[in-house]
Amino acid sequence: TGVVSAPPDRREDAVYLEISVREMVDPQEGDPLKAVKTLQGNARVRLPASAAWEYGDVLRFSAKPLTPDGDGSFSYKEYLERQRIRTVIYFPQRMELVEKGKIDPILLVLEKLRLNAQKTIFRQIPQPESGLLSGILLGLDKDLPQNLKQAYQQTGTAHIIAISGFNMAVLAGLFTTLFTRLSNRYWAAAMTLIALAGYAVFVGGSPSVVRAAIISVAALGGHLIGRRQLGLNSLFLTAPLMCIVNPLLIWDVSFQLSFAATLGLVLFAGHLKEWLEERLAKHLPEEKVLQFSKPLSEYLLFTLAAQVTTLPVIAIHFGRISLSSLLANPLILPVQPPILILGGISTIAGMIFPWLGKIIALLVWVPMRYT
């Protein structure tokens, strides 16, 4: 017996549930008093694609718990351990519902809201753009066609699909600008912190989202007490905190890539921008230098800075380096902020006024089609 402790991972061929186990009855135990065992721990359960169990359901079923496979080049056991899962169960029998809603009611409401937002996206925008926006905005990328997902991986642009520091940076800037117009900078920073934390919880709180949120909070926290954010301080505060909570993150490839990308930006972005401004100052008037250096830095040089430190990690883990990423990233990054902002507006509008959401979705579709 256990509770579904995370949103179901629904795929074309199966549904995966994270079950927080409460109790196990061993039918082979001769002593009835010893047969019932109270347990704590998480199991990953594979079910047929038609399974309709939901987040917060308490389920009772019969199955044989197994230890994940740890052999081969990819250790499924280590992968699940980083998510605090040490048991796998395949196609349990006689599964029945004991009770519903045994999870934090706020988390349940947020998950239902996220699924409603996803349905709105798919109602307003055709595939594959709807699958892409669902990944960028909500962190739900399972509906992105496999061939398109593979294309993003081969061109080194898969990072735009997952919610990461880039999304958080765009949202932090948007919230700060909006709230500053409504109140003083202290209240604006406080409301931005609440909005970022709420968004992180809303989209599922994956490690990359949590890391990005903590860095954003560290930056705004420094602003509140009158100190300037230093990138290395924020980064080397965030990474150890996350690894204290979950030490297995150190060996997680996505965590390593996120850390390496942020480190590249911290170490090289500022120097590259200064170098570009010096070059432009020799040929352009002073007022034109910033006008040209800002977009060139943000969408070309900063991308290169992040790639310098992530390429070694990619080469070690995947045995390949995508040279096309050096061209593809600068071409698609400029349109990601409009996609994130307009996509959010069209989704919220579509949940309230479907006709209005569809009109705004037309504006989102164009940059998404280009991407």
Side-chain angles (χ1 to χ4, degrees):
T1 304
V3 59
V4 181
S5 54
D9 180 359
R10 303 188 185 279
R11 307 188 184 185
E12 289 185 5
D13 58 342
V15 175
Y16 292 90
L17 300 181
E18 180 181 314
I19 300 286
S20 181
V21 180
R22 294 178 169 184
E23 181 184 273
M24 183 173 74
V25 179
D26 186 355
Q28 297 178 348
E29 177 60 59
D31 187 348
L33 296 177
K34 295 181 179 179
V36 180
K37 298 176 174 64
T38 302
L39 300 176
Q40 284 186 337
N42 296 328
R44 184 174 173 87
V45 181
R46 179 186 171 112
L47 297 167
S50 58
W53 307 114
E54 298 179 354
Y55 186 34
D57 286 352
V58 179
L59 304 174
R60 182 183 293 122
F61 54 90
S62 300
K64 183 179 180 180
L66 301 171
T67 300
D69 184 15
D71 300 328
S73 57
F74 172 74
S75 174
Y76 191 45
K77 180 180 179 181
E78 291 182 2
Y79 168 75
L80 290 179
E81 280 183 345
R82 289 192 286 270
Q83 303 173 50
R84 302 186 182 279
I85 298 172
R86 293 178 173 84
T87 302
V88 291
I89 295 172
Y90 297 104
F91 300 109
Q93 303 298 313
R94 297 187 295 277
M95 183 169 274
E96 60 178 342
L97 180 68
V98 178
E99 55 183 315
K100 295 183 71 68
K102 297 302 290 184
I103 205 75
D104 190 310
I106 296 177
L107 295 179
L108 269 178
V109 170
L110 288 174
E111 180 58 21
K112 289 180 180 179
L113 189 62
R114 183 161 73 139
L115 293 176
N116 191 17
Q118 185 187 36
K119 291 178 182 177
T120 302
I121 289 172
F122 278 84
R123 188 171 63 242
Q124 295 178 163
I125 303 173
Q127 275 279 46
E129 289 79 19
S130 55
L132 180 58
L133 182 59
S134 178
I136 293 173
L137 193 64
L138 305 174
L140 299 171
D141 60 352
K142 297 296 188 293
D143 294 292
L144 194 65
Q146 186 58 38
N147 62 335
L148 186 58
K149 188 179 293 187
Q150 185 176 358
Y152 279 112
Q153 292 170 350
Q154 291 174 342
T155 55
T157 54
H159 60 88
I160 72 160
I161 303 171
I163 295 171
S164 62
F166 182 77
N167 306 62
M168 284 294 182
V170 172
L171 288 173
L174 177 65
F175 289 144
T176 302
T177 302
L178 176 64
F179 293 140
T180 301
R181 293 179 179 177
L182 300 175
S183 184
N184 60 50
R185 66 189 182 101
Y186 297 104
W187 278 109
M191 288 188 287
T192 300
L193 294 181
I194 294 171
L196 289 176
Y199 180 71
V201 173
F202 174 65
V203 297
S206 69
S208 62
V209 173
V210 172
R211 185 202 69 257
I214 293 175
I215 289 179
S216 300
V217 166
L220 288 165
H223 172 74
L224 274 174
I225 61 175
R227 291 184 176 272
R228 182 173 58 89
Q229 180 208 23
L230 185 63
L232 280 176
N233 288 354
S234 296
L235 182 61
F236 285 99
L237 168 70
T238 302
L241 279 176
M242 294 184 68
C243 291
I244 287 172
V245 175
N246 183 3
L248 294 172
L249 270 181
I250 296 173
W251 291 275
D252 185 79
V253 177
S254 64
F255 177 78
Q256 293 175 13
L257 286 170
S258 298
F259 181 87
T262 308
L263 181 63
L265 289 170
V266 169
L267 293 178
F268 305 122
H271 297 297
L272 288 172
K273 185 179 180 182
E274 291 174 3
W275 172 83
L276 177 63
E277 288 176 350
E278 289 175 2
R279 303 275 96 61
L280 292 175
K282 295 179 180 179
H283 306 284
L284 295 173
E286 185 177 346
E287 64 273 9
K288 293 287 186 180
V289 171
L290 184 61
Q291 183 180 343
F292 284 97
S293 67
K294 191 174 187 297
L296 286 173
S297 297
E298 290 181 355
Y299 301 121
L300 178 60
L301 297 183
F302 290 1
T303 303
L304 293 174
Q307 289 175 320
V308 165
T309 46
T310 54
L311 286 178
V313 180
I314 293 171
I316 291 170
H317 286 289
F318 303 107
R320 61 178 175 83
I321 293 176
S322 175
L323 295 178
S324 60
S325 66
L326 301 176
L327 175 63
N329 273 288
L331 286 176
I332 65 170
L333 283 181
V335 300
Q336 298 315 302
I339 287 176
L340 188 61
I341 295 169
L342 288 173
I345 294 172
S346 69
T347 303
I348 294 171
M351 292 168 69
I352 303 171
F353 304 108
W355 62 270
L356 180 60
K358 288 183 178 181
I359 294 173
I360 303 174
L362 291 173
L363 302 176
V364 187
W365 182 85
V366 175
M368 293 193 64
R369 185 64 180 170
Y370 165 78
T371 301

